[in-house]
Each structure stands twice: as C-alpha cells, then as structure tokens.
Amino acid sequence: MAVSEVPIRAVLRRLNPSVAHKAAEKPNIDEIYAPLHHADALDPNRALVIGGRGVGKSFWAAVLAAKDGRAAAAKAYPLLGLNRLDVELGFHEGALGTGGIAPSPAALRSALVVAKDPVSIWRSVVLKALDRGAGPQKLNERVKWLENDPETFEDLLLSSDFDRSKRERPLLIVFDALDVLANDWETIRKLTRALAKLAHEMSARRAIRLKLFMRIDQFKDMQRKTFADFSKLQTAAVALEWRPVDLYGAVFTRLWRDVHANKVIRTLGRAVPIAVGGADLPRELKEDENKQDALFSAFAGEFMGANKKRGRTYTWVPKHLADAYGETSLRSFLIALREAAERASSKTGLAIDSNGLHAGVLKASDTRREELKEDHPWVEDALNALDGLTVPCEEHEIIARWQNAKVLQSIKKRINPERPAAPVQLELSEHDTKEQALLDALIELGVVERRAVNRINVPDIFRVAARMKRKGGVAPRKG
C-alpha cells in the first residue's frame, strides 16, 4: 500500500508524545483530542480526577486554565458551560512567589508550621482567588489572619458566590501536580487531605468549585487514611483513562488534520468502507474498533508477523503498552508509533511495520522507566535487582532477590529534594515483612501484578526496560 507510506509515516514521525504538561503552560490547541468520556474530567462539578502518569491530567488542567483552551474544549463538550468559567490555578508544578494564587512547596511547608488546621492553608488560597487584595499577601500571614478572623473569609465567600451565581460566571480553582506538594509522604498526606476536605466543603457553593487532579497512588493512600465525608468525594471521582479506541482516535485525528495524510486516509477509508466525505474525522474512526482496526491494518499491516499467530497489530500495540491495570497512557502510545515510523522499512510498502512496532515498545518502556525514576525514585532499586529474572515467577523469588541485593537498605539511604524517596507502604504496619510492603507498593502502581496465589507478573511496558524475561514476550535489549 505504497500510497500510504510517505505522508502517514511523516505525520507519525512528528507525533509529539509530550502529553506531560505543566498546568501553567499554554496548551497546543491542535493537540486537543476529546474522547466523549473525558467530559467528566472537565466537568466543574466533579471535584476529583484520578489518573496515572501520561494520561493527561496536567494537559487537561492546562486546557481549563487557558481561555482559548476552554473555548476549544467547549466545542467538544458544549453541555459543561466551559466558556462561562473563570479559572485560577490553586497549585501547579513550578509555582513560585506571590504573583499568582498558587503557593510554592516551600511556602506550604512553612504555612504548615503556623496553621492550626491545614485546611486554612487552602482556604487562604481560595481567598486570594476571590479577591487578590483580601488579607496579607504572604501565605503564612494570610493563614494566621484567616484563622483569627474566619468570618471575613466566610462573608467574602458567600458574597462572591452569590454574585457569580447571579451573573452565571462560575469560578473554578484547579489544583494539579499534587505529588510535588512536598518531598515527604507525611506532608503530602496532610496537605492533600486538607485540600480534599475543602473541595468537599466547596461543593455546597453554587458558583465556586475546586477541581483536583490526583495521582492514583495518592488517591489510594487517601482511601487508607480517610476523613468524614470522603466517601461522597470518592463516589463522584472521575478516572481519567484512555481506552484503545480513544488512543487510535487521537492518532487518526492528527493524521486527518494533515493535508497530505488526509488524502491518504480518505483513499484507504473508502476501501474499508468508511464515510469520509465530510470535513471532520468520521465518527467511526473515533468510536468503532472494527473500522479503526481495518484502517490501521491498511497502513501498519494486519498481523505482527506472517499470520495471526503473533497477534493482530491493532490489539497488539495497546496490549503491550498497558500497565498491570490494563491501562495504556496516550504518551506511551504516541512514543511507540513515532519510534515505529522512524524504524519502518520502505521495502514493506507500509507506513509502519511489525519490526518498528517492536522497537516502539522498547522505546516506550525505556521512557516509562525514566518516568518511574522521576516520580518514584525507589522503584529503580526494586527493578534493578530483578534484572534477568523470568516472569511470571513465584513471589519468594522476587523477595529473595531484594534481600540478597539489600534493596530496602538502598531505598532507606535515598534522599530526594523534591519527591518522597520511599513508598508510603513501608511506613505502614499491615505487612509481615518490608519486602512484602515493597511488593504491594509496586502492585499499587501497576508495575507488577498478582496473577494467582503467590505468582507475580510484570507487564511488558515495565519488564522490557528492566531487562526481565518472559517466554514469548517482547525481548529486552541486550547488554
């Protein structure tokens, strides 16, 4: 299918996998792809959004924070009223100084010392969102002022809520990157619980809302050490996920927007057949897995080998990029397809081929491991000790390796100025041994999975970069 080779491969090579985004940065409007079920994640009335690395938490936070981002999202989700919103960032990665309302981690740590109740810290952030001139400008002083005179805050909150409700101009305060609130779990836990309490309190207001984008492990930790009424927040929580049909829809959208690739997609689509006569990407290419499969097969090959024994290309890619929860991040998917396009051979007549897709999984696995090192420094120690291990394996084989390599001692010696150096599970008393606590921490992150009693498996997205083996699986790099 030589017609597809050049323009489609060119677009795939230009894919920007940097879904990792800072909420304070202006998003690229052209990169917005809005699956229908992501509407809940942007809904101002849904306070808690939960997701793993690379699923777009910070990207959607940035879309909400930017006026043109909200305008673009409003077209995809017209029922949410995003165009009527005023949005402030209550916390985000890189927050510094007193210019915005978002405090820095250093300011938060200092405020915890003076605050009688950690919730007061976040109330003082809301206060600044309501009125930049209300109260002292310094966070510490504003917290003390607010706790000494809570009625002033309450009066301002009520009057602002009434005014915004009357004008139909709601205020949404967005909190992102909650894993960098501090560099130790105890402080992160205090601040996160306090913020969640306030988010629940604010649900009683008519036109002022909080939205929290939270990592899965933080959410699970909050479930262990919860507070009154957390169940109400939890019930309305939104899981931010990318189904395979969404992943392919995002890629087809980028191909459709390229003038040269668009012509090829239309040509291939007619043979599927797909109704490709309109200006917008056909709905079938966003929602119909069979149509997506047929189109992807046309320029990537139907199978990952000579026949179906190696698996269908369409299902093989997301399956081998998924974590232990079966979830694939958009970033990993884009990285894999971009690498496949870079490695593809022109001799096949395809835009990408099976060899390139294998290389793409290796690249995505390398990137995912680097992300783990950044978010959870202790994971590197745990995985290094498993180099060469064949999975699935018995639980005791993993624990023996950790004991021989003195992994727990290495983790305890780690010092990280920005993030917790050890998993929170090591602080809990619910495990028989610290090694079992470490294993549970990896399970909670989706890095490993229990398949049966005492049988442990590691998904390819983490296994390959860790140079672990699996019979019939993608081979790790040598050396």
Side-chain angles (χ1 to χ4, degrees), residues 106-137:
L108 289 169
R109 180 178 288 277
S110 180
L112 271 173
V113 176
V114 302
K116 298 173 185 175
D117 179 357
V119 178
S120 299
I121 297 173
W122 297 118
R123 287 194 184 108
S124 74
V125 171
V126 172
L127 175 68
K128 198 170 182 180
L130 299 177
D131 184 348
R132 284 288 206 277
Q137 288 302 297

Side-chain angles (χ1 to χ4, degrees), residues 172-187:
L172 181 68
I173 309 174
V174 175
F175 297 81
D176 183 50
L178 301 181
D179 54 304
V180 295
L181 287 170
N183 65 353
D184 67 279
W185 269 112
E186 189 54 37
T187 304

